[in-house]
Amino acid sequence: MLSYQQGGDRHGKKVVFLHGFLGSGEDWRTVTDKMHHCHWLCIDLPGHGSSVSYQAVDFATTVAAIRQTCYQVWGHQKACLVGYSLGARLAMHLVCTQPSLWRAVFLEAGHPGLADSHQRRKRLAQDSQWAARFAHQTLSEVLNDWYQQTVFQSLTSDQRTALVLERGNNHGPAVAKMLLATSLGRQANLRAGLGEAFRQGVTIDYLCGEHDNKFTSLAHSLWQHTGIPATPIEGAGHNSHVENPDRFVQVLTQSHALA
C-alpha cells in the first residue's frame, strides 16, 4: 500500500488527490486546507515522498496500488479523483478501467495520450534520457534543466529557483524508475475511454491554467472528441492548484459531486 495523508470530515464525501511527477501528497496542502467538509486522501505516488521505496513497474501496477490504498481507507465507498499532470494521467487510467468506483474526476493539466506510435516512441526516448540523468546526475543539475522545459514557461525565475530547491529532496533513482514506468510514451490513447466513462454518468472536468497554452489546446481537443468540459483557472500556468488555489477549490466545491 502507498503512503498517504488524510484529513477533513470523516463523514464527508471522499476525495483522493494524486500529485505530479517529482511532487508528493504535501503539494495539495493549499487545496486540502480549504476542504474541511470532505474526507480527503493525499497519496504519495511510487518513488515519491514516503512511498520512495515502492517501485512502479507500469501503469497497471501503479493504478492497482492507488486503488488498493483507497480501498484500505474507504472500502467500497465511491470517491472523487483529483489529479495533476502525472496524477491526472493516472486518474484517467483509474476512471477508464473502473468507472463505477468514482463519483467524479477532475483532471488538471494531464495528457490523455499520444495519437500514434511514432509520437509514443519519440516521447519514450526523451523520457529515457531524462530518467538516465535523474538516476546518475546530481538532482540540482537535472532539475535546473527540467524546469526550463516549455511546459513550465509561465514560471518566474524565482518560482523556478524555489521549485529546484523544493524538489531537491527527491531520490533520483526512484523518480527515474517512476518516470520510465509511467512515461507518456507507454500510455495508451485514453480519449475513447474517458468519453465512455463520461457518457456513463461519471462527472469529468478538465482544469487548466489560462496561461498554460499547451494544455488549454489539449483541453479544447478533448472537449471536441468527447464532450468533456474544460474549466480555465484564471491567473495560473501549468500548476494551477498552487498558483490560484482559491479558484481551484471553488471549481471543485461547486461541482454537485462535492457540494
Side-chain angles (χ1 to χ4, degrees), residues 2-8 13-20 23-46 51 66 69-70 74 79-91 94 102 104-108 207 241-242 245 248-253 258:
L2 299 170
S3 294
Y4 62 88
Q5 301 173 41
Q6 62 179 316
K13 291 177 179 176
K14 316 305 179 191
V15 54
V16 57
F17 291 91
L18 303 175
H19 62 79
S24 73
E26 275 292 321
D27 293 356
W28 293 104
R29 185 61 64 183
T30 55
V31 172
T32 56
D33 281 349
K34 305 174 190 296
M35 298 188 66
H36 304 293
H37 67 295
C38 298
H39 185 193
W40 52 261
L41 189 68
C42 294
I43 294 177
D44 287 345
L45 296 175
S51 297
I66 295 169
T69 304
C70 293
W74 293 321
C80 297
L81 275 167
V82 184
Y84 162 64
S85 194
L86 168 60
R89 295 195 287 119
L90 292 168
L94 285 157
W102 313 104
V105 185
F106 300 91
L107 305 168
E108 179 191 359
L207 285 63
H241 73 269
V242 170
F248 194 91
V249 170
Q250 182 185 48
V251 172
L252 298 187
T253 55
L258 281 174

Side-chain angles (χ1 to χ4, degrees), residues 99-130:
S100 62
L101 295 180
W102 313 104
R103 295 171 53 87
V105 185
F106 300 91
L107 305 168
E108 179 191 359
H111 203 300
L114 296 169
D116 62 63
S117 58
H118 173 72
Q119 289 180 313
R120 288 194 290 272
R121 286 194 299 271
K122 183 178 178 181
R123 178 55 182 261
L124 183 57
Q126 291 172 345
D127 285 347
S128 296
Q129 292 176 349
W130 279 113

Side-chain angles (χ1 to χ4, degrees), residues 126-171:
Q126 291 172 345
D127 285 347
S128 296
Q129 292 176 349
W130 279 113
R133 293 191 63 188
F134 276 115
H136 301 295
Q137 296 181 12
T138 60
L139 267 182
S140 59
E141 180 183 0
V142 185
L143 291 171
N144 272 308
D145 291 340
W146 179 263
Y147 287 112
Q148 296 295 331
Q149 295 181 92
T150 305
V151 70
F152 301 113
Q153 65 184 357
S154 66
L155 292 173
T156 66
S157 178
D158 287 345
Q159 288 173 325
R160 190 172 284 111
T161 299
L163 271 172
V164 171
L165 288 172
E166 181 182 349
R167 301 313 193 197
N169 62 359
N170 276 289
H171 184 255

Side-chain angles (χ1 to χ4, degrees), residues 153-201:
Q153 65 184 357
S154 66
L155 292 173
T156 66
S157 178
D158 287 345
Q159 288 173 325
R160 190 172 284 111
T161 299
L163 271 172
V164 171
L165 288 172
E166 181 182 349
R167 301 313 193 197
N169 62 359
N170 276 289
H171 184 255
V175 295
K177 289 176 181 176
M178 183 60 169
L179 177 58
L180 280 179
T182 57
S183 167
L184 184 60
R186 299 189 191 279
Q187 178 179 312
N189 183 347
L190 299 175
R191 290 169 178 82
L194 289 169
E196 181 60 27
F198 186 61
R199 286 189 294 274
Q200 289 181 22

